[in-house]
Amino acid sequence: MTAKQRQERYSRRVPLVDLGLQYAALKDELDAVVGRVLASGQYVGGPEVEEFESEFAQFCGTPHAVAVGSGTDALRFALKAVGVGKSEGGEGSKGSNPAGERAEVVTSPLTFIASAEAISQAGGRPVFADIHPVSLTLDPAKIEQVITSRTAAILPVHLYGRPADLGPILALARRRALPVVEDACQAHGALYDGRPVGSIGDAGCFSFYPTKNLGACGEGGMVTTSRADVAARVRKLRDHGQVEKYRYAEEGYNGRLDALQAAILRVKLRKLAEWNERRCAVAERYRSGLRDLEERGALVALPGEMPRSRHVYHLFAVRLTDRDRVRAELRELGIDSGVQYPVPLHLQPAYAWMGLREGAFPEAERAAQQVLTLPLYPEITNSQVDRVCEALRMAVDGR
Ligand SMILES: *Cc1c(COP(=O)(O)O)cnc(C)c1O
């Protein structure tokens, strides 16, 4: 291909995500519910939020779902509710965690910082364990090695939309009498052993950040749980610890979901299963379009299906040894791509206090150097996917 041909062919960029298309497809419905909420005069909490909570609980197969301000809020509140950090007094929630003795929460170093940040903000201390080289989620065998008498909980992250290996993680947690909080912020609708994530551990935490599989037009989050005590504590924490009008059991937060976001999310929730199907079909098309590259070793790995789990492809992350070169080449060919995450958390300045160096978690470090995420959203066309495959092939082969 000549430079001119290439330029013509790739003049239309393929973006990593395109949220405008989602709005265009749902414009009438979304405009109507926004108008309805604006006219209602009830903007924080209220019936839209309650309806959304019950619809999301049903989607996840949990008896309780408590809407909060963000995925980060969901993590903070759920961790506190299962007993991480010092109890703030009142209402008998002391005991499981005297004086913060059991404060460590085990999580993955290959995740968004919110997973670890929420642990500290809940009054705990993040402790990292390495990931499994294929699933890129917490390796159950590595968790075992870092559990101590100070461990308070385990926080597996369903990274990129793939469930962490919850079977062995829950078995380990049960043996050690530890609660499990699922970071399902990237995995709405993913399944493990046929059960929706968020319904398997003590609590599940979801984000409705706009780019997530289910995204608001602003911030939002949800805690799902089968434990009534956890649901009740999260309800208190999201509303300043309030138990009845101007009566506070403990200090809490301003962590509520607003009615506009709830109304928008209710419309989008009805599309989520169909959108996830499409994400899986796009992933399959990428896999068949790129399989030969994997087979002849031109790229390290495509994301494969793991036993017991259904991946919902929040992101489609391939692994490449010369990721940064390929990424630059793709950009030139009009293809956007992403890197989640370029630096694992244990090597971030924010966690320098842990004193961990390169080599501490080799699998997470290798993945951080190799992962490249390709454009994937429900509205992407097959011909766009094919163009991405073609461009990746050119980039990998150095043309
Ligand atoms: C998005 C995300 C969060 C945080 O959610 P917010 O809604 O942005 O606060 C937490 N963990 C993971 C893995 C995420 O992807």
Side-chain angles (χ1 to χ4, degrees), residues 293-357:
L293 292 182
E294 187 181 37
E295 279 163 8
R296 66 183 159 86
L299 58 74
V300 178
L302 297 170
E305 296 292 341
M306 301 290 287
R308 305 179 74 168
S309 64
R310 183 201 187 219
H311 196 318
V312 288
Y313 295 97
H314 171 57
L315 298 170
F316 187 87
V318 302
R319 296 182 67 163
L320 298 150
T321 46
D322 52 354
R323 188 258 324 270
D324 296 334
R325 182 192 68 76
V326 169
R327 189 172 189 216
E329 199 87 12
L330 282 176
R331 192 177 304 123
E332 222 177 279
L333 294 168
I335 307 296
D336 288 352
S337 62
V339 174
Q340 281 94 351
Y341 296 90
V343 179
L345 294 181
H346 66 284
L347 301 178
Q348 294 282 356
Y351 298 107
W353 59 266
M354 290 185 177
L356 294 166
R357 313 229 156 173

Side-chain angles (χ1 to χ4, degrees), residues 69-76 110-118 157-160 183-187 205-212 218-221 314-315 341:
S70 66
T72 311
D73 273 349
L75 288 163
R76 285 183 196 124
L110 190 71
T111 179
F112 184 52
I113 190 169
S115 313
E117 183 183 64
V157 181
H158 305 315
L159 193 72
Y160 305 151
D183 182 340
C185 287
Q186 300 186 357
C205 302
F206 292 86
S207 164
F208 305 122
Y209 185 77
T211 56
K212 303 289 164 93
E219 308 276 353
H314 171 57
L315 298 170
Y341 296 90

Side-chain angles (χ1 to χ4, degrees), residues 80 88-89 233 236-237 240-242 248-253:
K80 275 180 167 275
E88 263 140 65
R233 183 95 190 276
K236 262 186 285 180
L237 288 169
H240 305 283
Q242 182 164 261
Y248 307 98
E250 61 178 313
E251 286 183 345
Y253 300 82

